[in-house]
Amino acid sequence: MLIINISIVLGTIATMELLSWAMHKYLFHGPLWFIHKTHHQQRHGWFELNDLFSIGFAALSLWLMWIGHTMLDYRFWIGAGISTYGTIYFIFHDWFIHNRFKAFKSNNRYLLGIRRAHKIHHKSTEKNPSEEFGLLVASKKWFSQNKNG
């Protein structure tokens, strides 16, 4: 049973990356741009309207964990996977990439590549053109050692 539960959590994390990529590309840079654009502008406080998306995923995660907690069924573990992805998102995106807190330093090739890809995504302050919509996965070109971060 433990292997199944861990598989559900890991599968949910992978699904969240795919879902987040698609939502980011087709919804956030599409009809929901009026909310997401606050993330591409200079922040004037600690929160931005774009944080509503994270709050929505947190609510979904908590709801799934609540309705699955008595039996610790698949809903609980899907909620735990969404929550884990949210924690990863916070550490990678808000802390490491956007420095909402004092960023930690790293020479890790993967982390630097993800940071480069995200900076390219934010190069544009407009809805389009834009590239690199993922959090944990980016094009191979950003992981080259000779790129400046």
Side-chain angles (χ1 to χ4, degrees), residues 33 35-36 41 43 51 59 95-96 107 114 116 120 124 129:
W33 175 251
I35 296 172
H36 183 63
Q41 299 168 341
R43 194 172 52 242
D51 291 332
W95 188 3
F96 180 67
N107 290 323
I114 291 295
R116 284 184 202 106
I120 288 300
S124 173

Side-chain angles (χ1 to χ4, degrees), residues 13 28 43 49-50 63 75 85 87 97 99 124 137 146:
I13 292 168
F28 299 174
R43 194 172 52 242
L49 191 57
N50 186 70
W63 178 71
R75 295 170 295 188
Y85 185 83
T87 301
I97 294 170
N99 300 315
S124 173
V137 178
N146 62 2

Side-chain angles (χ1 to χ4, degrees), residues 110-121:
Y110 169 74
L111 292 177
L112 294 176
I114 291 295
R115 179 183 271 165
R116 284 184 202 106
H118 202 82
K119 286 184 182 212
I120 288 300
H121 177 75

Side-chain angles (χ1 to χ4, degrees), residues 16-125:
M16 284 299 296
E17 177 67 6
L18 293 170
L19 181 64
S20 294
W21 179 91
M23 289 178 63
H24 191 181
K25 181 170 181 157
Y26 297 111
L27 292 177
F28 299 174
H29 283 261
L32 297 177
W33 175 251
F34 71 100
I35 296 172
H36 183 63
K37 72 180 177 183
T38 63
H39 183 61
H40 286 263
Q41 299 168 341
Q42 184 176 357
R43 194 172 52 242
H44 297 289
W46 206 78
F47 290 101
E48 53 195 41
L49 191 57
N50 186 70
D51 291 332
L52 289 175
F53 297 124
S54 295
I55 292 168
F57 278 116
L60 174 62
S61 172
L62 290 171
W63 178 71
L64 285 168
M65 287 191 292
W66 176 253
I67 63 173
H69 84 281
T70 54
M71 300 290 292
L72 287 181
D73 64 17
Y74 70 95
R75 295 170 295 188
F76 177 85
W77 298 108
I78 290 171
I82 294 170
S83 180
T84 302
Y85 185 83
T87 301
I88 293 167
Y89 181 93
F90 174 77
I91 291 168
F92 267 65
H93 185 264
D94 292 338
W95 188 3
F96 180 67
I97 294 170
H98 286 291
N99 300 315
R100 282 199 179 183
F101 300 99
K102 183 176 168 71
F104 53 90
K105 301 280 187 208
S106 176
N107 290 323
N108 179 280
R109 186 173 164 187
Y110 169 74
L111 292 177
L112 294 176
I114 291 295
R115 179 183 271 165
R116 284 184 202 106
H118 202 82
K119 286 184 182 212
I120 288 300
H121 177 75
H122 278 272
K123 202 172 196 180
S124 173
T125 58

